[in-house]
Amino acid sequence: MTSVVNVTDSALTVDSENQLEQPDTSFKALIQQIQEDWIAHGRDWTKPGLRAVVVHRFGVWRMGVKSKFWRAPLSLVYRMMYHKVRNTYGIELPYSVKLGRRVVVEHQGNIVVHGNCVIGDDTIIRQGVTLGLRHLDRPLDAPILGNRVNVGAGAKLFGKITIGDNVNVGANAVVLIDVPSNSTVVGIPAKIIKSKADSLA
């Protein structure tokens, strides 16, 4: 028999039979996440980044509504809000992105996030950032960002790359490689210029 354990901190539901983690799509979890996002964005409802994140959260939540009868109008509302955010603020953040807690979209404009991206907790994304595919023949490849990643303005991260925790991505950097945790990357193409491991050596 499958037992379900709620993990409050990460808002995930763990199925002990198959060990798969599923996002908690309850309405209570939605409200908790939006409250965290509001605080992370300086408690300012007018920020476009907060609005983009809230629309994303709503899009994920409505997919948990099992009844197609009720989900259909919610999906219509989501699509309208998604297009409004994309066309008005220039922030493309589809609901299929696996978005961590307290992710901050610091500024608006020219922000494109691939639908298969994974973005960890407490990450900051600034204007002009692209998280997308590198090869047209691999349309599902997308970057995976760890926790507390600081992505500078204009940075581009392409392909199925993994960015570790506590990484700083310099402004306008073009990242095509995996980046270990506790590192800083800059340049075109981006190179690792600082690593915590290097400083301890």
Side-chain angles (χ1 to χ4, degrees):
M1 183 173 178
T2 301
S3 62
V4 175
V5 180
N6 289 325
V7 183
T8 306
D9 187 49
S10 60
L12 293 175
T13 305
V14 181
D15 185 333
S16 63
E17 184 174 282
N18 56 23
Q19 298 301 313
L20 292 177
E21 293 186 347
Q22 301 295 332
D24 184 351
T25 56
S26 68
F27 187 73
K28 181 179 178 182
L30 172 66
I31 297 303
Q32 285 178 334
Q33 287 182 334
I34 290 175
Q35 184 177 22
E36 286 182 3
D37 295 326
W38 175 61
I39 294 170
H41 283 83
R43 301 174 187 264
D44 185 352
W45 285 111
T46 67
K47 286 190 173 181
L50 173 60
R51 294 181 178 186
V53 170
V54 170
V55 169
H56 173 276
R57 304 287 190 208
F58 175 77
V60 173
W61 172 79
R62 53 101 196 183
M63 291 302 293
V65 176
K66 295 181 180 178
S67 169
K68 291 183 179 179
F69 177 79
W70 293 111
R71 194 191 320 144
L74 292 173
S75 294
L76 179 61
V77 171
Y78 164 73
R79 283 195 294 270
M80 291 172 61
M81 292 192 301
Y82 171 78
H83 288 120
K84 172 67 174 176
V85 167
R86 185 193 66 185
N87 297 341
T88 302
Y89 303 128
I91 303 172
E92 196 166 331
L93 183 65
Y95 78 92
S96 55
V97 173
K98 292 182 181 175
L99 196 66
R101 307 291 287 257
R102 301 170 300 276
V103 172
V104 173
V105 180
E106 189 67 34
H107 303 289
Q108 69 188 64
N110 302 317
I111 297 173
V112 179
V113 181
H114 189 288
N116 283 0
C117 272
V118 177
I119 300 174
D121 299 343
D122 303 299
T123 290
I124 299 174
I125 297 173
R126 293 181 175 80
Q127 73 272 21
V129 168
T130 298
L131 308 175
L133 58 86
R134 182 176 180 185
H135 304 286
L136 292 177
D137 58 342
R138 299 181 202 168
L140 301 181
D141 287 358
I144 299 171
L145 278 61
N147 299 323
R148 299 171 300 280
V149 177
N150 186 349
V151 185
K156 316 297 179 189
L157 290 76
F158 295 127
K160 193 173 184 180
I161 58 176
T162 300
I163 309 299
D165 297 339
N166 306 306
V167 168
N168 291 310
V169 180
N172 298 314
V174 177
V175 185
L176 306 174
I177 58 172
D178 292 344
V179 180
S181 297
N182 306 304
S183 300
T184 297
V185 291
V186 297
I188 304 174
K191 295 180 180 178
I192 300 169
I193 62 166
K194 183 179 179 182
S195 171
K196 194 172 184 180
D198 293 339
S199 63
L200 296 175

